[in-house]
């Protein structure tokens, strides 16, 4: 049975159920591996670097599953896995949004840049190299599949529910977006990462960080309108990554796309309401926490 706001979870003061506990464990797992790569001077393009990258990426997912089993009873745990596998929660309309919104935002950024005299965008190296070697597209496939899956088991799979028990959808998105953006910070100092190529303090750096916050608001909108579907957010996150991997926006076009995400969230808050970002007065809720919590 789908859980809604009609079944109110118990809000407890236990630190275990607090989003801070999840954030602390997630950062501890992820930054342990990524800071180790920085300290040891290991590039993520190397075999050992790839291991450290994946171990760090797994932080949110490990914490999400762990806290789900720690905080909830069997009912909550079953709800978690259903939200990961139940395609029916999404519906055709939201599949269309998920598949085409990231591309639309990128095209807006490119189009405005062209109107301002820029070049807008080009095909990425992976796409251009595909004719020579189909393997050139593998990085795009990787970043569109594995990272979204293991990250969203925690970000939207677990902690967004906990945040929305205390704050509005918009405020919860802002909190999670800031935490998620800063979580990426070590990647800017590891050789062989996309973030390292952007630099720190550059236009591209701020475009990335602000873009993560903007994306979080859109993810919350989709999450709440698909009855807390983890699968929907994994696919949406994957499409955002895939679009970024196949279309190389100019820095200005990328900044315009970032602004577009933020503006879109503002429109959602006005049209749908900042409290829920849905047509309902209340957001879908998780089951109650286990009695011992």
């Amino acid at each position: 049975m789908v859980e809604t706001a009609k079944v109110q979870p118990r809000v407890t003061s236990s630190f275990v159920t607090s989003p801070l506990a999840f954030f602390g464990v997630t950062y501890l797992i992820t930054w342990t591996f990524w800071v180790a790569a920085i300290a040891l001077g290991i590039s993520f393009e190397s075999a050992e670097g790839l291991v450290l990258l994946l171990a760090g990426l797994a932080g949110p997912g490990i914490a999400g599953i762990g806290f789900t089993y720690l905080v909830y009873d069997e009912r909550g745990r079953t709800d978690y896995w259903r939200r990961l596998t139940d395609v029916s929660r999404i519906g055709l309309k939201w599949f269309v949004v998920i598949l085409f919104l990231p591309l639309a935002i990128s095209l807006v950024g490119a189009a405005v840049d062209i109107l301002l005299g820029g070049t807008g965008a080009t095909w990425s190296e992976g796409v251009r190299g595909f004719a020579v070697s189909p393997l050139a597209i593998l990085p795009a496939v990787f970043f569109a599949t594995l990272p979204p899956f293991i990250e969203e088991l925690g970000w939207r799979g677990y902690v967004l529910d906990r945040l929305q028990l205390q704050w509005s959808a918009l405020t919860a998105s802002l909190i999670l977006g800031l935490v998620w953006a800063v979580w990426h910070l070590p990647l800017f100092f590891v050789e062989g990462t996309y973030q390292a190529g952007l630099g720190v303090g550059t236009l591209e750096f701020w475009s990335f960080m602000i873009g993560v916050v903007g994306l979080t608001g859109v993810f919350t909108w989709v999450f709440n309108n698909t009855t807390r579907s983890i699968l929907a957010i994994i696919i949406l996150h994957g499409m955002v990554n895939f679009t970024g991997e196949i279309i190389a926006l100019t820095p200005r076009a990328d900044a315009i796309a970032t602004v577009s995400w933020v503006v879109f969230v503002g429109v959602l808050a006005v049209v749908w309401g900042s409290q829920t970002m849905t047509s309902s007065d209340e957001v879908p809720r998780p089951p109650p926490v286990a009695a011992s919590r």
Side-chain angles (χ1 to χ4, degrees), residues 188 194-212 249-255 258:
F188 288 88
Y194 166 76
Q195 288 79 6
L198 301 179
V200 177
T202 62
L203 171 63
E204 292 86 349
F205 170 83
W206 291 113
S207 181
F208 177 87
M209 300 296 274
I210 295 171
V212 170
L249 295 173
T250 65
R252 184 169 62 183
D254 189 56
T258 295

Side-chain angles (χ1 to χ4, degrees), residues 64-103:
I65 294 173
F67 275 96
T68 295
Y69 276 76
L70 186 64
V71 169
Y72 297 109
D73 57 17
E74 189 60 34
R75 184 183 177 190
R77 297 165 189 171
T78 300
D79 167 76
Y80 181 86
W81 297 113
R82 282 179 179 169
R83 292 188 293 123
L84 180 62
T85 58
D86 186 4
V87 180
S88 66
R89 289 173 178 257
I90 304 175
L92 179 60
K93 177 177 72 175
W94 290 102
F95 263 120
V96 172
V97 170
I98 288 166
L99 295 177
F100 293 104
L101 181 60
L103 177 61

Side-chain angles (χ1 to χ4, degrees), residues 137-193:
I137 203 69
L138 285 182
V141 175
F142 169 81
F143 284 107
T145 52
L146 187 58
F149 177 77
I150 54 182
E151 284 188 50
E152 296 305 342
L153 291 175
W155 298 133
R156 261 56 60 164
Y158 172 78
V159 79
L160 181 56
D161 274 335
R162 308 309 306 169
L163 289 168
Q164 290 195 104
L165 290 177
Q166 303 176 51
W167 290 284
S168 70
L170 186 60
T171 302
S173 299
L174 179 59
I175 295 170
L176 180 54
L178 290 171
V179 171
W180 190 22
V182 175
W183 175 80
H184 289 88
L185 197 57
L187 295 177
F188 288 88
F189 302 93
V190 181
E191 183 183 347
T193 65

Side-chain angles (χ1 to χ4, degrees), residues 25 109 176-177 241:
V25 171
L176 180 54
N241 285 8

